[in-house]
Amino acid sequence: MSKFRMYRKHSRLLSKENKLIDQAKAKQQLSGSLETDLQIMRETFSKSSDVVIRKFQIGKELSIPASILFTDGLADTKMIQQVILESLMYEGKGNENIDAPMRGVLTWMKNKVLNIGDVKEIYDLEELFVSILSGNTVIIIDGFPAALSASTYGFEGRSVTEPTTQNVVRGPMEAFTESIRINTALVRRKIKDPNLHCEQKQIGKITKTDVSIMYIKGIVTDDVVEEVRTRIERIDIDGILESSYIEELIQDETFTPFPTVFNTERPDVVAAGLLEGRVAIIVDGTPFVLIVPSLFIHNFQVAEDYYQRADISSLLRILRIICFLISLLGPSFYIALTTFHQEMVPTPLLINLASQREGVPFPAFVEALIMEVTFEILREAGIRMPTAVGQTVSIVGALVLGQAAVEAGIVSAAMVIVVSITAIANFCFPAYNMAISVRMLRFIMMMLAASFGLYGVTLGILALLLHLNSIRSFGMPYMAPFSPFILADQKDAILRFPRWGLFSRPRLMNQKNKKRKADPKVAKPESNK
């Protein structure tokens, strides 16, 4: 009989516990019972061996049942042992027993026991799961429908190194990493102003990726910040693994080959953009930071332009724009001239080209297409192959294939020269996205040149200009300051004026704080005459 009664009592307790678990899951909140909450944790992380659940007693005299939960590999176990467990289990120096009711335990722990910078209370189960999987340590106490989340993030990541895609000869040699906190700190190091705001959000239903929006209040236009917030909050996706996910989901124009969101791995570029009134979007897990709004001319400007003399920077910018035209129109002009407009070619050069093409069985368009596709294959293979052999294979492959193709009579030597110059000019672009756009448009211009000659090339240029003028980036005209033409902004477009001449911020970017300094004449050097 006694065994039957014990069985019934155990069944009632088990039924009550299951009921509490079901109620806690239904409300998505902690139940207040340590065993019930831990049972929910065990069911949730049953297959996750890296989630550690450690039960202990708080204090020598209090002996309050409690438990900590953390993710091994994301949390700093040394900090957990020294700062949390030792402080709670042995009531370390400076702590005292509780004279208040039991509800004061959480306040006592936050104010007098846990000497960690960030400690907050959690009532929601979903928030508790995210906190554990973000590298924090969660403390659950028996009898309290709340938990404490202590910041113990200690994941070992890549240290700050030199940029790999945006190198410069003169300037800071530091780049962003995959840690969002290191990246925001690198920007804070450049701009020590309390008006530099950093808003953090979590995007992705499953990944819960941290995304930070940085801007300088008082310089940035409020409409741009609100537009960025709105577009990011509209994102409804299961996961964000790289900043390109955000870029595709917030950009203005989807069907355009041109990048309308600028990306960089350099903190100084982000700082310069913020000082102009732009907004930076930093995504956890990637070293590439997004900057909006982005204009067409930004793809031809590099950080080094502002670290050298104005005349040198202006010359290099003009050179990049010339390389853009060569990369886009080089093969198409060659095809148009040799196929439809031979009268425009000097007679000695025309005779030389004709002698080279005497044994070539293909028209100029097919000849250029073969060489361009071959070079694109070599370029992609050089990127995907191991670094030790990638560049060697691509260079040797280009030389060997080019020489062999000329000797075999498949292409002419002049075509090899044109394709080579076009490919080298394409490498002069600071922005990799813009280089890819030009590579795609080059084939369209080649087809127009093969079909209609220079008339087709002119038609393609006009269509390209119309398309560029129709694009907007977060409300800003993509071709500004050329269309619409803004005279005051020409000082930092194709040419760069001396430092004393850059006294105002871009007009379209900023409508509030337009001046970089009060009196532009103060910094202008005076003549010694």
Side-chain angles (χ1 to χ4, degrees):
M1 189 67 179
S2 60
K3 291 183 178 180
F4 179 71
R5 288 179 178 175
M6 290 177 62
Y7 174 75
R8 289 187 60 185
K9 184 179 180 181
H10 178 72
S11 298
R12 285 196 300 269
L13 291 174
L14 187 61
S15 176
K16 184 179 180 180
E17 185 179 348
N18 291 335
K19 188 177 181 180
L20 286 173
I21 293 174
D22 294 338
Q23 290 177 355
K25 288 182 177 179
K27 295 180 180 179
Q28 289 295 308
Q29 291 181 346
L30 292 167
S31 65
S33 172
L34 179 61
E35 291 301 328
T36 301
D37 294 335
L38 289 183
Q39 184 62 29
I40 297 175
M41 299 299 112
R42 293 189 185 100
E43 291 179 2
T44 305
F45 299 112
S46 59
K47 302 295 183 181
S48 301
S49 59
D50 56 340
V51 177
V52 179
I53 301 176
R54 168 77 156 81
K55 296 177 67 176
F56 64 99
Q57 299 283 333
I58 296 179
K60 295 179 181 179
E61 300 178 3
L62 298 175
S63 298
I64 304 174
S67 178
I68 62 170
L69 298 91
F70 61 91
T71 303
D72 188 18
L74 292 180
D76 188 346
T77 55
K78 187 175 181 181
M79 182 186 297
I80 295 171
Q81 176 67 29
Q82 296 178 351
V83 178
I84 297 180
L85 287 177
E86 290 184 5
S87 299
L88 293 177
M89 294 174 69
Y90 302 107
E91 295 183 20
K93 185 173 66 175
N95 297 329
E96 54 193 29
N97 293 334
I98 307 171
D99 298 326
M102 288 293 290
R103 64 176 178 270
V105 171
L106 293 180
T107 304
W108 169 73
M109 290 174 58
K110 289 172 59 178
N111 297 338
K112 295 188 176 183
V113 179
L114 297 176
N115 51 347
I116 296 180
D118 186 15
V119 180
K120 64 179 181 179
E121 296 183 12
I122 295 177
Y123 299 88
D124 185 72
L125 285 175
E126 184 67 25
E127 187 179 357
L128 185 142
F129 297 148
V130 174
S131 182
I132 294 172
L133 297 175
S134 297
N136 299 327
T137 298
V138 171
I139 307 167
I140 303 177
I141 307 170
D142 190 24
F144 294 88
L148 291 179
S149 174
S151 177
T152 56
Y153 184 79
F155 176 74
E156 294 294 334
R158 185 169 61 93
S159 60
V160 178
T161 57
E162 294 185 11
T164 57
T165 60
Q166 298 174 343
N167 296 323
V168 296
V169 177
R170 180 178 179 179
M173 295 296 178
E174 58 184 9
F176 289 119
T177 67
E178 285 74 16
S179 173
I180 190 172
R181 275 296 151 256
I182 294 178
N183 294 344
T184 55
L186 288 172
V187 179
R188 289 278 185 190
R189 183 185 174 191
K190 301 286 183 185
I191 304 176
K192 304 177 182 67
D193 192 294
N195 291 319
L196 176 60
H197 290 192
C198 180
E199 302 178 6
Q200 186 157 321
K201 304 178 184 294
Q202 284 190 338
I203 310 296
K205 297 178 181 177
I206 299 177
T207 59
K208 302 289 192 305
T209 306
D210 292 326
V211 177
S212 291
I213 303 172
M214 298 193 76
Y215 58 92
I216 301 178
K217 186 178 180 180
I219 293 181
V220 68
T221 305
D222 296 335
D223 294 340
V224 174
V225 178
E226 187 60 34
E227 184 66 23
V228 173
R229 284 200 203 103
T230 303
R231 296 190 187 187
I232 290 181
E233 290 173 356
R234 254 195 336 244
I235 297 176
D236 187 10
I237 193 173
D238 58 349
I240 300 292
L241 301 179
E242 216 274 334
S243 58
S244 61
Y245 286 52
I246 302 287
E247 179 180 351
E248 285 192 60
L249 294 170
I250 67 173
Q251 63 183 353
D252 291 69
E253 297 290 336
T254 304
F255 301 103
T256 178
F258 297 99
T260 55
V261 177
F262 190 77
N263 68 84
T264 180
E265 62 172 342
R266 298 183 59 90
D268 54 333
V269 174
V270 173
L274 294 175
L275 291 172
E276 288 184 350
R278 299 158 77 186
V279 180
I281 303 172
I282 305 176
V283 182
D284 190 26
T286 175
F288 291 93
V289 175
L290 306 179
I291 304 177
V292 293
S294 174
L295 305 182
F296 178 78
I297 194 62
H298 290 158
N299 296 284
F300 301 94
Q301 299 173 352
V302 296
E304 194 175 9
D305 290 347
Y306 302 94
Y307 306 143
Q308 305 216 36
R309 291 204 328 256
D311 52 351
I312 299 175
S313 301
S314 301
L315 176 63
L316 293 177
R317 284 187 182 180
I318 294 173
L319 180 63
R320 294 184 202 115
I321 294 175
I322 293 174
C323 290
F324 169 78
L325 297 175
I326 292 175
S327 180
L328 179 64
L329 303 173
S332 57
F333 266 110
Y334 178 82
I335 293 170
L337 292 176
T338 56
T339 306
F340 294 98
H341 308 282
Q342 294 90 347
E343 69 278 0
M344 299 181 65
V345 183
T347 303
L349 179 59
L350 182 63
I351 295 173
N352 192 6
L353 294 176
S355 62
Q356 291 180 20
R357 291 187 45 81
E358 185 176 358
V360 178
F362 304 111
F365 171 70
V366 177
E367 187 182 0
L369 189 64
I370 292 173
M371 291 302 300
E372 287 289 347
V373 171
T374 302
F375 190 84
E376 292 296 330
I377 293 173
L378 287 171
R379 191 204 308 254
E380 190 67 17
I383 295 174
R384 305 303 166 197
M385 291 184 68
T387 307
V389 296
Q391 296 181 354
T392 304
V393 170
S394 60
I395 294 173
V396 173
L399 292 174
V400 172
L401 287 176
Q403 184 66 26
V406 173
E407 293 180 357
I410 299 176
V411 296
S412 62
M415 180 58 71
V416 174
I417 295 174
V418 171
V419 172
S420 301
I421 294 176
T422 302
I424 294 172
N426 193 261
F427 286 119
C428 294
F429 297 166
Y432 181 71
N433 287 353
M434 179 60 72
I436 296 177
S437 303
V438 173
R439 285 158 61 183
M440 292 188 297
L441 293 171
R442 187 190 306 150
F443 289 97
I444 299 176
M445 301 301 292
M446 287 166 54
M447 288 188 286
L448 290 173
S451 302
F452 308 105
L454 291 179
Y455 300 104
V457 175
T458 305
L459 182 64
I461 294 174
L462 291 175
L464 195 60
L465 290 175
L466 289 174
H467 175 68
L468 286 171
N469 282 277
S470 68
I471 300 175
R472 301 181 78 85
S473 176
F474 285 80
M476 303 294 176
Y478 192 58
M479 287 301 292
F482 308 112
S483 176
F485 184 79
I486 304 173
L487 181 61
D489 289 350
Q490 301 302 318
K491 63 184 180 297
D492 191 18
I494 296 178
L495 303 177
R496 183 181 84 76
F497 279 27
R499 185 66 56 186
W500 50 264
L502 302 176
F503 57 86
S504 62
R505 294 184 175 89
R507 295 295 178 89
L508 287 179
M509 292 285 184
N510 189 276
Q511 299 296 329
K512 296 164 62 177
N513 189 350
K514 298 180 181 180
K515 301 294 182 182
R516 295 181 186 270
K517 49 182 177 286
D519 186 4
K521 297 180 180 179
V522 172
K524 186 175 180 180
E526 298 181 358
S527 176
N528 293 327
K529 294 181 180 180

